[in-house]
Amino acid sequence: MVGRRAYDFMYRTWAPWEGEARPELVDLVTSGRIVPGRAIDLGCGSGANSIFLAEHGFAVTGVDYSPVGLAKARRATPPSLSVDWLPGDLTATSIPGVSGTFDLLVDYSVLDDMRGPAQDPMAATVHRLSHPGSLFLMWCFYDEIPWWKRRGGRFPGLAEGGEQRLFGTSFEIERLTEPPRGSGFACFLMRRS
């Protein structure tokens, strides 16, 4: 997992993932497949997804462990919107200021930044913060590339089938992206049963 100092540095200079709200999230909300409710952005960074959700009627909590990312998110929030920006460790057994469950949980490349068993505590957080009917949108680097075809290092990624291992007993899982096998990423929409 990339350390907090590295994320703080990237948020001060250039974080390659920053920009507009992610297209999968935008499509799901604007199409009406995901309707407004209580949402939590797990690893919200500088807040684009959280702000988009708030603009579309969601009651939003954004959680990140980078104080620099959270400061950028606060500055980017229009005065007309209300988003709860909270510091927190998504692998902890509780996050100060976060209580209850959420209708929508969003993770854009946080869980997949952890290696193997280190993903289990964050998966436990997702389970703890969801209720029957909750939706969990997860975009991740997805490790479908055989080791003998890889060139150089990559982010850890979620192992192929990792979504089933972590969430299959409690969530119905739909893969939204069907890129060519070995593309290196995936997006899943999961509904808590």
Side-chain angles (χ1 to χ4, degrees), residues 60-81:
V60 183
T61 299
V63 177
D64 204 284
Y65 82 156
S66 168
V68 178
L70 287 170
K72 285 180 85 170
R74 286 184 187 99
R75 287 191 303 272
T77 307
S80 60
L81 296 179

Side-chain angles (χ1 to χ4, degrees), residues 4-192:
R4 183 175 303 172
R5 287 183 184 164
Y7 278 110
D8 287 346
F9 175 77
M10 287 186 275
Y11 284 122
R12 282 188 187 102
T13 56
W14 179 74
W17 55 85
E18 287 187 291
E20 302 295 318
R22 299 298 294 265
E24 302 86 0
L25 178 63
V26 171
D27 290 346
L28 289 165
V29 170
T30 58
S31 72
R33 233 178 128 191
I34 295 179
V35 296
R38 189 167 187 239
I40 187 165
D41 188 355
L42 303 165
C44 64
S46 54
N49 290 327
S50 296
I51 292 168
F52 168 80
L53 289 170
E55 289 170 339
H56 286 82
F58 290 80
V60 183
T61 299
V63 177
D64 204 284
Y65 82 156
S66 168
V68 178
L70 287 170
K72 285 180 85 170
R74 286 184 187 99
R75 287 191 303 272
T77 307
S80 60
L81 296 179
S82 176
V83 177
D84 292 327
W85 302 111
L86 298 173
D89 176 354
L90 299 174
T91 63
T93 56
S94 67
I95 302 167
V98 175
S99 62
T101 59
F102 293 83
D103 304 307
L104 174 65
L105 298 89
V106 176
D107 168 16
Y108 269 89
S109 200
V110 176
L111 184 135
D112 68 328
D113 195 24
M114 302 168 191
R115 295 188 186 273
Q119 295 171 343
D120 294 342
M122 183 170 166
T125 297
V126 170
H127 284 90
R128 187 177 66 253
L129 296 178
S130 63
H131 57 261
S134 290
L135 295 174
F136 175 41
L137 179 64
M138 180 181 74
W139 187 99
C140 59
F141 289 103
Y142 198 64
D143 195 2
E144 300 172 301
I145 302 171
W147 65 268
W148 63 88
K149 289 187 177 180
R150 293 185 194 159
R151 293 184 208 150
R154 314 181 32 213
F155 288 102
L158 186 66
E160 187 172 11
E163 73 284 0
Q164 286 294 329
R165 181 183 73 78
L166 294 167
F167 304 106
T169 60
S170 301
F171 287 83
E172 299 166 14
I173 302 172
E174 173 188 359
R175 184 167 177 174
L176 297 177
T177 54
E178 289 300 338
R181 185 167 177 77
S183 65
F185 67 91
C187 188
F188 299 97
L189 181 62
M190 307 182 205
R191 181 180 297 275
R192 178 84 185 259

